[in-house]
Amino acid sequence: QVQLVESGGGSVQAGGSLRLSCTTSLYARTEYCMGWIRQAAGQEREGVGLIRSDGTTTYADSVKDRFTISKDNKKITLYLQMNSLKPEDTAAYYCAVEYAEECRDRGWNDVANIRDFRYRGQGTQVTVSS
């Protein structure tokens, strides 16, 4: 059974930084597209950042130039560096993974597609106070 485990969440003041990690039990010889989504209380799930198998990235406008997504291909670990955090970034953050071939076949190339990825972690809470 595939496992994705997020860590690194917590409470921080506005303007601060956090780095989220997502460790997985995925097979390193397979290519994946990976991403982060978040969900604030009472809000719809929102795609945050997507990283494709070739390493290219796409971000939601709300986090562009503040968040950076990266990955370790050997460990199949995903990261999200969050800088200049704002109170509106408060949410539960989830990592999600899909096979790269599926992403290509379905044309999943936008952060909005991350919520359809087949594997998702349990989430880590990020709270930003003003």
Side-chain angles (χ1 to χ4, degrees):
Q1 184 175 353
V2 173
Q3 290 187 320
L4 281 65
V5 179
E6 301 93 340
S7 61
S11 297
V12 65
Q13 288 193 324
S17 298
L18 284 173
R19 188 187 193 219
L20 305 184
S21 299
C22 173
T23 56
T24 80
S25 61
L26 293 167
Y27 186 51
R29 291 184 178 272
T30 302
E31 291 186 331
Y32 305 96
C33 45
M34 309 172 77
W36 291 92
I37 54 177
R38 67 185 181 185
Q39 187 166 23
Q43 302 288 324
E44 293 282 323
R45 202 166 290 160
E46 175 190 20
V48 175
L50 168 70
I51 185 164
R52 302 173 188 83
S53 57
D54 63 2
T56 57
T57 57
T58 299
Y59 297 94
D61 288 342
S62 59
V63 306
K64 204 172 292 183
D65 299 325
R66 298 189 298 121
F67 289 12
T68 302
I69 189 170
S70 61
K71 62 178 179 173
D72 182 323
N73 284 325
K74 290 184 179 179
K75 300 177 182 178
I76 314 300
T77 301
L78 186 66
Y79 304 99
L80 184 67
Q81 178 66 43
M82 304 186 295
N83 298 328
S84 303
L85 282 161
K86 304 176 180 180
E88 50 264 43
D89 294 318
T90 295
Y93 284 71
Y94 304 85
C95 62
V97 179
E98 180 57 78
Y99 296 109
E101 184 175 8
E102 188 77 2
C103 283
R104 288 191 292 267
D105 289 349
R106 291 180 176 269
W108 284 349
N109 203 36
D110 187 74
V111 294
N113 300 128
I114 300 170
R115 58 189 167 194
D116 296 319
F117 288 3
R118 72 181 67 202
Y119 301 123
R120 187 184 305 153
Q122 294 298 306
T124 186
Q125 179 67 34
V126 171
T127 302
V128 184
S129 58
S130 57

